[in-house]
Amino acid sequence: MEHIPMWLQAGFWGLVAGGALLIGAMVGYRFAVPARLVAAVMAFGSGVLISALSFELMDEAFKTGGFQATALGFLGGAFVYTLANWWLAHGGARHRKRSGCQPTEDEHGGSGRAIAVGALLDGIPESIVIGLSMLGGGKVSMVAVSAIFLSNVPEGLSSAAGMKKAGRSATYIFGIWGAIAFASGLSALAGFTLFEGVSPGTVAATTAVAAGAILAMLADTMIPEAFAEAHDFAGLITVAGFLAAFALSKMGG
């Protein structure tokens, strides 16, 4: 891909990672996947993301911008995500990643919109990270792409199954996930183009903001949903995901 413009490569990798949402949604809509299997994959994906944000995002942000910019960005990202997630939870999107507990529009008016916005909120920080990873070195972080892809499959699968049970149409379900996959590509593209040429401190702070938002998302939504179904083994599976991404990071380095 060396002859393809960097901004286009960033958008492509964002689309690849976001496309996992659509793949998961198709599987969740067409097949009755056991909830415990979905939870296990979600736990594994959570471990992968925790490892990626630890060894790829935070470490790189610290090396580039120092502790102060990294810490402020990290806390800021977590604060903004938590506030937005709290607001969306009160709008009916609390269990947007769960396959069996999503409210219908009759039960909670506007919940479909809140679930869609919540899914977009979950995906944007991850996708921006892909674009940011290409700054300087010009090579995408395959650990980040793999981590995001792996976490997106069970998210799309579980949420689509929940939307179907709540009575939402196939047009609505696939329209939502297709739009979010496309938005993931645009976010990755923006992460590269908007921050190309800016100061290392700004890039570091932005990377840390994304890392804080991702960790808050994991703690608020993915890990609780995984534990709800696979509580006997959720911790062990999460650790396995962490170790897999850690090994991939070290082999890639």
Side-chain angles (χ1 to χ4, degrees):
M1 296 181 72
E2 60 269 13
H3 300 302
I4 301 174
M6 293 300 300
W7 61 270
L8 197 56
Q9 290 186 43
F12 168 78
W13 287 116
L15 196 60
V16 167
L21 291 166
L22 198 53
I23 294 170
M26 289 177 180
V27 174
Y29 187 83
R30 299 293 179 190
F31 304 101
V33 181
R36 287 178 70 86
L37 177 60
V38 177
V41 179
M42 195 174 286
F44 189 85
S46 297
V48 170
L49 271 180
I50 292 171
S51 181
L53 70 87
S54 300
F55 298 104
E56 292 280 312
L57 306 185
M58 289 296 286
D59 193 50
E60 187 60 33
F62 174 74
K63 289 176 183 175
T64 307
F67 179 78
Q68 185 173 355
T70 302
L72 288 174
F74 191 61
L75 291 172
F79 177 79
V80 171
Y81 177 88
T82 301
L83 191 63
N85 190 56
W86 174 85
W87 179 73
L88 288 167
H90 284 74
R94 183 181 303 277
H95 298 299
R96 58 183 177 271
K97 297 186 191 297
R98 191 170 293 185
S99 60
C101 299
Q102 293 181 17
T104 64
E105 286 296 321
D106 291 337
E107 293 170 339
H108 199 306
S111 60
R113 182 176 61 252
I115 289 169
V117 174
L120 188 61
L121 174 71
D122 296 340
I124 286 177
E126 299 174 344
S127 303
I128 288 176
V129 160
I130 293 174
L132 291 174
S133 76
M134 298 180 68
L135 295 171
K139 231 176 132 182
V140 72
S141 168
M142 291 310 299
V143 174
V145 173
S146 301
I148 295 165
F149 186 95
L150 192 56
S151 67
N152 278 345
V153 171
E155 179 179 346
L157 194 159
S158 183
S159 295
M163 288 177 179
K164 184 180 180 181
K165 286 181 183 177
R168 297 187 169 93
S169 68
T171 302
Y172 177 88
I173 294 170
F174 293 114
I176 287 295
W177 291 114
I180 293 172
F182 183 69
S184 297
L186 292 179
S187 298
L189 188 152
F192 178 80
T193 56
L194 296 181
F195 293 93
E196 190 177 21
V198 303
S199 68
T202 302
V203 173
T206 306
T207 302
V209 166
I214 292 169
L215 185 55
M217 180 271 289
L218 290 170
D220 284 350
T221 60
M222 280 190 71
I223 292 175
E225 302 299 2
F227 181 81
E229 294 292 342
H231 54 274
D232 293 337
F233 299 102
L236 181 61
I237 296 169
T238 303
V239 168
F242 184 98
L243 182 60
F246 177 74
L248 185 61
S249 175
K250 295 307 175 188
M251 285 189 292

